[in-house]
Amino acid sequence: MRMTIFPSILLGLIFSSIPTVNAINVGDSIPSVELHHNFPPEKIDLADRLANKNVDALKKVGVDEVIIYCVNDGAVMMAWAEDQGVKEDSMVTLMGDPYGALTSALEMEMTHAGPASVGITGRCKRFALYVENGIVKILRVAEAEDDPAGDDRPEVTLAEAMVDAIKALKLSDEL
């Protein structure tokens, strides 16, 4: 599962204690890639969805939408949203990346040999992005040499860490 907090924040799941080379970097524009919402899928262009979002505060810090995406289809994401009690008018939107297009465009594919050796392929790293008007402002990846999926130490990608990072970013912008 990938979570995105947007004013946008994109939360996939990411920070690293090992050097990581990412295609997407702070200052980059979000790629124009279609994600699937619900079923039958409503195709949503992520770049269009995030363009010109107001930087207003998870609402106090200016987040107006949290997008959670997963390399899966819209039907699975819709069922997951229902299971988690996410209402249609919520600031949280769950979307599917059925072909891994966004994951590939962000170069966030989990390529570590460990998961692949047990048949886990085509997956996305655990990461979080904070995006303002389509431009990445904060990037966090939860992978580590001994934890390529980021499951053991996801805290850098969780809402609390992202809120702290957003506050620090806004503070540095004020200076």
Side-chain angles (χ1 to χ4, degrees):
M1 169 194 140
R2 302 302 156 258
M3 180 174 179
T4 304
I5 303 177
F6 290 103
S8 293
I9 293 180
L10 177 58
L11 213 34
L13 304 172
I14 304 185
F15 181 68
S16 183
S17 61
I18 60 172
T20 303
V21 177
N22 299 311
I24 190 78
N25 290 296
V26 171
D28 290 351
S29 296
I30 287 293
S32 178
V33 175
E34 283 186 348
L35 294 178
H36 291 197
H37 184 242
N38 292 333
F39 192 83
E42 171 190 358
K43 294 180 180 177
I44 297 173
D45 184 283
L46 190 59
D48 289 345
R49 176 87 174 227
L50 298 177
N52 301 314
K53 289 280 188 172
N54 293 329
V55 180
D56 286 325
L58 285 300
K59 299 202 176 186
K60 284 189 176 183
V61 294
V63 175
D64 58 18
E65 184 171 19
V66 175
I67 298 173
I68 300 170
Y69 89 94
C70 183
V71 180
N72 219 317
D73 60 68
V76 168
M77 299 308 289
M78 184 172 72
W80 189 29
E82 288 172 12
D83 179 71
Q84 296 300 305
V86 177
K87 296 183 179 5
E88 194 63 37
D89 63 348
S90 168
M91 74 184 289
V92 176
T93 306
L94 278 73
M95 295 185 188
D97 183 18
Y99 309 109
L102 178 61
T103 302
S104 178
L106 297 175
E107 289 189 16
M108 289 297 164
E109 301 97 335
M110 188 173 14
T111 58
H112 190 279
S117 72
V118 293
I120 300 173
T121 61
R123 307 290 192 204
C124 184
K125 296 177 182 180
R126 181 178 301 274
F127 74 96
L129 298 175
Y130 174 72
V131 180
E132 288 183 0
N133 298 320
I135 304 298
V136 176
K137 299 292 185 173
I138 298 171
L139 167 65
R140 300 288 185 262
V141 182
E143 71 179 344
E145 183 76 32
D146 62 338
D147 182 25
D151 293 335
D152 293 337
R153 295 177 290 278
E155 49 281 337
V156 297
T157 63
L158 300 180
E160 296 83 6
M162 292 303 291
V163 167
D164 289 345
I166 294 165
K167 288 178 179 177
L169 175 70
K170 291 179 183 270
L171 183 61
S172 72
D173 287 348
E174 292 175 7
L175 298 177

